[in-house]
């Protein structure tokens, strides 16, 4: 549900940097680290010299997009920054030095090296810092022409059987013009997070006046470039705008990130060979656009690139406690999504034809190669918990067809509240139902989002069957929908296999915008009653999840912020649920 059209699939088939003077305590770590770096190197403020004939007032280069780390392993981690000459006409490549230290003062350097900020990579720098120790916190920085970057903190993954706890902060769907990144700001305040996990829609491709931009001008968050991004330079400029954001910079500087893309890193409702928001007649070749988007993603994200840029599924081992498998459900193997419009005519909905297409045994979401890889990873891992970091909902989300059709085309069905009233009437006084009400209740329940695993039934059964046959404790993480969910994962035979924790969005709007007449609390209650495996829903708040994993339980806390249209906000935990390991216990329970 990353856009209007995706919401319809559910129910229908440069930026201004943060004010450096405001909220000084919250901003002190990143901005103060510049002075810390200079002092640690014996470079007082008067010792920072440039390349313009010794003029001390000249600062020749800028690290204006901060630093980041990602894809940690036990002995290595990716370090990222971007450095440009302050003179925009100066297009030369720049030599960069990097350092990793065990202390914030950089008195004990444990790894260092040289890299280059090249125009061919949009002046981004990405290095794989090796030779580190497992389960350790480190500090890192870059330098170029006597200038130092902000200092970042990172952490390697732990090893062995002594790992007692892992904490992950889970994010999805950050639409820049929709509001401030208070969700990132809140997570950056925390000192207890081991890794940030981003499930995609890190950027959005729409132009000004497009999706969720109603307050963008007022908030000072109109997108750059102004039009929809299609070419390589467009994607680069959009990433640069996002990474100008102070709250996002602080999150990246505070904790390593493990990220995967969803559709908006390319364009809405993307699949292997096309996308809903790509029109070849006016926007050119989709493969060329996708290649440009993927190149920019690898340039700007702290991800360890593989031999093929399209292959980003990968695993991370947190000792014997947790194996995190990051999946690509979007670009590498996804077949074109089904569309309810194809099965709907003046005579009604063709449920039999829809069901036949939905149930095709070879219908792919991950693709055969990635599916085989995941099966191998699950089989080889002896970790207590097997966690899938991926984009779209895996839990079954079947709702009565009249509700779906009403949201798709008002007047063609009934609202959630109206349907609930008919159900209540049928329970209390069935003889009072009229013919129309009986017809409404007789219609089937169907998936409300064909873009999710619900639209790829056989592919889901393969994953669930693998986890069940291997007797694994399965936890699935999902984003994409802009709403918070928790579901029990059951196969077609009704066997309980695992659970799904789904995060709300950073800023992208949820059902509160698209179903404004529905009370959010009542809507969530109705959905949990109508959808059997669904145990929790929040359809109106922005936030993130904190996943706390121990040998005894895997717990999710949904953290919500009070607003995204003001920098003054509060945060609170809206819900906590857990799952226990072992057969017979792999289901959602209260904390």
């Amino acid at each position: 549900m990353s856009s209007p059209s995706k919401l319809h699939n559910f129910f229908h088939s440069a930026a201004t940097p943060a004010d450096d003077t405001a909220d000084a305590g919250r901003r002190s770590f990143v901005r103060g680290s510049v002075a810390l770096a200079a002092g640690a190197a014996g470079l007082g403020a008067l010792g920072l010299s440039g390349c313009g004939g010794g003029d001390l007032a000249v600062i020749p280069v800028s690290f204006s997009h901060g630093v980041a780390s990602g894809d940690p392993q036990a002995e290595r981690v990716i370090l990222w920054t971007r450095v440009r000459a302050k003179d925009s006409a100066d297009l030369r490549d720049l030599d960069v030095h990097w350092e990793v230290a065990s202390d914030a003062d950089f008195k004990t350097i444990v790894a260092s090296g040289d890299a280059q900020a090249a125009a061919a990579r949009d002046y981004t720098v990405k290095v794989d810092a090796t030779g580190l120790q497992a389960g350790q916190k480190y500090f890192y920085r870059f330098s170029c022409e006597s200038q130092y970057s902000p200092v970042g903190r990172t952490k390697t993954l732990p090893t062995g059987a002594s790992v007692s706890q892992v904490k992950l902060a889970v994010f999805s769907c950050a639409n820049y013009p929709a509001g401030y990144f208070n969700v990132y700001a809140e997570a950056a305040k925390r000192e207890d997070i081991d890794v940030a996990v981003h499930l995609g829609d890190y950027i959005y491709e729409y132009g000004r006046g497009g999706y969720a931009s109603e307050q963008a001008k007022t908030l000072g968050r109109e997108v750059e470039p102004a039009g929809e991004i299609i070419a390589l330079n467009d994607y680069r400029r959009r990433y640069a705008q996002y990474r100008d954001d102070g709250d996002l910079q602080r999150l990246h500087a505070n904790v390593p990130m493990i990220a995967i893309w969803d559709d908006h890193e390319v364009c809405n409702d993307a699949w292997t060979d096309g996308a809903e928001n790509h029109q070849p007649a006016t926007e050119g070749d989709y493969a060329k656009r996708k290649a440009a988007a993927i190149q920019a993603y690898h340039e700007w994200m702290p991800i360890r690139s593989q031999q093929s840029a399209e292959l980003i599924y990968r695993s991370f081992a947190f000792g014997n406690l947790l194996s995190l498998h990051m999946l690509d459900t979007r670009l590498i193997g996804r077949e074109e999504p089904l569309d309810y419009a194809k099965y709907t005519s003046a005579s009604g909905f063709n449920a039999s034809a829809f069901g036949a297409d939905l149930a095709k045994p070879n219908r792919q979401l991950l693709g055969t190669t990635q599916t085989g890889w995941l099966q191998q990873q699950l089989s080889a891992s002896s970790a207590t918990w097997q966690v899938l970091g991926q984009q779209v909902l895996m839990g079954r989300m079947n709702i009565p067809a009249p509700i779906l059709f009403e949201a798709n085309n008002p007047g063609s069905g009934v609202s959630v509240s109206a349907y609930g009233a008919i159900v209540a009437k049928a329970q209390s006084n069935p003889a009072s139902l009229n013919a129309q009400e009986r017809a409404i209740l007789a219609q089937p329940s169907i998936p409300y989002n064909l873009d999710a695993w619900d639209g790829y039934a056989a592919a889901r059964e393969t994953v669930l069957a693998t986890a069940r046959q291997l007797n694994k404790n399965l936890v699935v993480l999902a984003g994409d929908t802009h709403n918070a969910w928790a579901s029990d994962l059951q196969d077609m035979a009704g066997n309980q296999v695992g659970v799904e924790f789904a995060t709300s969005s950073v800023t992208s709007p949820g059902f509160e915008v698209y179903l404004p007449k529905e009370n959010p609390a009542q809507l969530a209650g109705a959905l949990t009653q109508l959808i059997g495996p669904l145990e929790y829903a929040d359809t109106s708040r922005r936030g993130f999840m904190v996943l706390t994993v121990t040998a005894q339980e895997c717990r999710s806390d949904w953290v919500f912020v009070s607003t995204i249209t003001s920098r003054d906000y509060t945060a609170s935990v809206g819900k906590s649920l857990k799952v226990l390991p072992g057969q017979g216990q792999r289901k959602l329970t209260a904390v």
Side-chain angles (χ1 to χ4, degrees), residues 32 98 185 203 209 225 228 291 301 316 366-367 377 413 435 472 476 528 540 573:
W98 59 270
I203 66 166
E228 183 176 327
M301 297 297 289
F316 299 87
L366 301 178
Q377 295 298 110
K472 299 296 184 179
V476 175
T528 55
S540 65
V573 175

Side-chain angles (χ1 to χ4, degrees), residues 114-138:
D114 298 303
Q116 191 175 68
R121 296 187 300 273
D122 200 20
Y123 300 97
T124 61
V125 178
K126 192 160 63 171
V127 299
D128 203 348
T130 62
L132 308 180
Q133 299 297 310
Q136 298 297 311
K137 293 181 179 179
Y138 291 101

Side-chain angles (χ1 to χ4, degrees), residues 352-370:
S352 61
F354 170 74
D357 287 346
L358 184 65
K360 287 182 177 178
N362 60 346
R363 183 164 170 73
Q364 296 292 326
L365 183 62
L366 301 178
T368 56
T369 301
Q370 185 179 189

Side-chain angles (χ1 to χ4, degrees), residues 241-315:
Q241 180 179 40
Y242 272 64
R243 295 294 281 274
D244 266 338
D245 186 274
D247 293 320
L248 180 53
Q249 285 193 22
R250 276 179 285 281
L251 176 66
H252 274 300
N254 198 49
V255 64
M257 178 176 284
I258 297 173
I260 202 83
W261 57 48
D262 196 4
D263 53 344
H264 288 287
E265 285 86 351
V266 181
C267 57
N268 183 58
D269 285 1
W271 53 287
T272 304
D273 298 318
E276 177 276 334
N277 194 32
H278 182 80
Q279 291 72 46
T282 57
E283 295 172 336
D285 180 56
Y286 174 72
K288 183 177 180 180
R289 180 180 187 175
K290 183 169 73 169
I294 289 174
Q295 179 177 335
Y297 185 87
H298 281 279
E299 289 171 349
W300 280 86
M301 297 297 289
I303 181 176
R304 184 174 287 105
S305 301
Q306 302 184 46
Q307 186 173 8
S308 170
E310 283 197 2
L311 300 179
I312 61 169
Y313 52 85
R314 60 211 192 277
S315 290

Side-chain angles (χ1 to χ4, degrees), residues 201-219:
D201 292 346
Y202 184 94
I203 66 166
Y204 280 70
E205 83 278 14
Y206 299 110
R208 290 186 187 176
Y211 171 59
S213 297
E214 294 81 5
Q215 299 186 68
K217 187 172 183 178
T218 301
L219 297 175

